[in-house]
Amino acid sequence: MSENLFVPTMAEMMAQGKQPEVLFWVGCAGSFDDRAKKITKAFVKILNRANVSFAVLGTEESCTGDPAKRAGNEFLFQMQAMTNIEVMNAYEVKRIVTACPHCFNTLKNEYPELGGNYEVVHHTEFIKMLLNEGKIAIEGGQFKGKRITFHDPCYLGRANNVYEAPRDLIQKLDAELVEMKRSRANGLCCGAGGAQMFKEPEKGNKDINIERTEDALATKPEIIAAGCPFCNTMLTDGIKHKEKEAEVKIYDIAELIANAQDL
């Protein structure tokens, strides 16, 4: 990579006798999806800028099992979860940060009963913490004064009550945060949860992601901010469907922060 990103693995850290402060759980989307890889890179740039001691599992990371569990395959979920827990416990992992609310929810709420007890934070919470501790500074940069609306991911908002961190970060950019009518606890799903991301929609009058994109466009935004790679995909498809790609951009919160700083 030409960008000089510094991404150590847990195995490399262990070989040097070091224990990172936090494990960055990349997730399947962040590892394999071309659009989500950009979110991963943006977040790593922020971690590097803040001199955070972190590591990834690399090839030792497997899917958390969220899609399997939501689709009803509890057996596959437990197999995937147990494999990950064995790896993480061997490395004595204590804190995890992830940019995917699905991974976040599963690691935080469903791994403990299988023996995986970790402090799990979403990347928007983590970035806000870095800001509060003075490890990074944010100026508006290219987003100053822009109209930005934030779409609440189901597993971040309603499932885990994380509403403020992403909004605080948008406001730190000196941007104008405009709320959709359905937001926070009344937010509408993008349509990708419950493993729906991986199947074609059933017959109906309108796809959920189109409905949600219409909610967002009603605020007349220049940017729709997301905090989840699945939501990002669904909203991007919605914007393409509405032929608004030239006027409205979709960014993850980490990308907004990294781009504002020209990291």
Side-chain angles (χ1 to χ4, degrees):
M1 276 182 214
S2 58
E3 296 151 283
N4 296 327
L5 297 179
F6 177 64
V7 189
T9 64
M10 286 298 279
E12 289 164 358
M13 293 285 262
M14 201 77 157
Q16 295 167 5
K18 291 180 187 165
Q19 182 74 11
E21 284 166 39
V22 63
L23 170 71
F24 171 28
W25 184 276
V26 183
C28 299
S31 301
F32 300 114
D33 180 80
D34 285 341
R35 177 65 188 87
K37 282 180 198 171
K38 293 178 181 172
I39 300 170
T40 304
K41 286 180 183 175
F43 186 53
V44 167
K45 286 176 185 173
I46 294 167
L47 293 173
N48 285 171
R49 168 61 62 92
N51 290 319
V52 174
S53 161
F54 79 99
V56 297
L57 285 172
T59 54
E60 291 185 279
E61 180 186 300
S62 169
C63 179
T64 58
D66 165 77
K69 188 178 180 79
R70 306 294 160 233
N73 194 336
E74 181 67 22
F75 177 69
L76 177 58
F77 161 69
Q78 292 202 12
M79 273 173 46
Q80 290 177 307
M82 295 301 285
T83 305
N84 287 323
I85 289 167
E86 278 176 24
V87 170
M88 289 194 286
N89 287 354
Y91 283 126
E92 296 177 12
V93 168
K94 304 279 186 292
R95 293 184 79 198
I96 304 174
V97 61
T98 181
C100 175
H102 294 254
C103 298
F104 167 72
N105 179 68
T106 306
L107 294 166
K108 179 173 185 261
N109 299 321
E110 290 166 352
Y111 273 32
E113 63 186 3
L114 297 171
N117 294 287
Y118 319 104
E119 180 198 344
V120 188
V121 292
H122 187 246
H123 72 318
T124 56
E125 298 175 292
F126 197 81
I127 296 169
K128 189 174 178 220
M129 188 193 70
L130 293 176
L131 201 68
N132 292 347
E133 291 173 2
K135 291 183 178 170
I136 54 167
I138 299 180
E139 293 116 39
Q142 58 178 298
F143 302 115
K144 202 180 181 84
K146 294 263 195 239
R147 277 177 75 85
I148 302 180
T149 190
F150 178 67
H151 163 76
D152 288 286
C154 296
Y155 279 120
L156 188 63
R158 285 176 303 199
N160 289 288
N161 288 316
V162 178
Y163 296 112
E164 301 314 321
R167 288 175 168 82
D168 289 349
L169 292 172
I170 291 170
Q171 286 173 321
K172 286 277 194 297
L173 294 168
D174 293 332
E176 183 189 351
L177 176 64
V178 285
E179 293 286 2
M180 296 183 227
K181 281 205 171 75
R182 290 186 272 198
S183 68
R184 296 180 190 257
N186 296 319
L188 180 72
C189 178
C190 72
Q196 297 291 315
M197 176 85 171
F198 308 105
K199 60 183 275 296
E200 291 304 311
E202 280 124 35
K203 285 190 170 61
N205 299 330
K206 190 194 288 183
D207 290 352
I208 295 274
N209 67 312
I210 305 299
E211 175 87 4
R212 190 51 171 162
T213 302
E214 288 169 359
D215 281 0
L217 291 174
T219 68
K220 300 195 168 33
E222 291 164 88
I223 292 166
I224 301 172
C228 170
F230 287 3
C231 299
N232 198 305
T233 298
M234 299 304 270
L235 292 165
T236 300
D237 287 351
I239 290 294
K240 283 179 184 162
H241 178 84
K242 293 287 182 185
E243 299 182 351
K244 294 280 187 203
E245 293 162 278
E247 302 107 274
V248 182
K249 300 293 176 225
I250 300 188
Y251 289 117
D252 185 86
I253 298 281
E255 294 177 302
L256 292 175
I257 304 298
N259 291 345
Q261 298 307 95
D262 291 326
L263 295 184

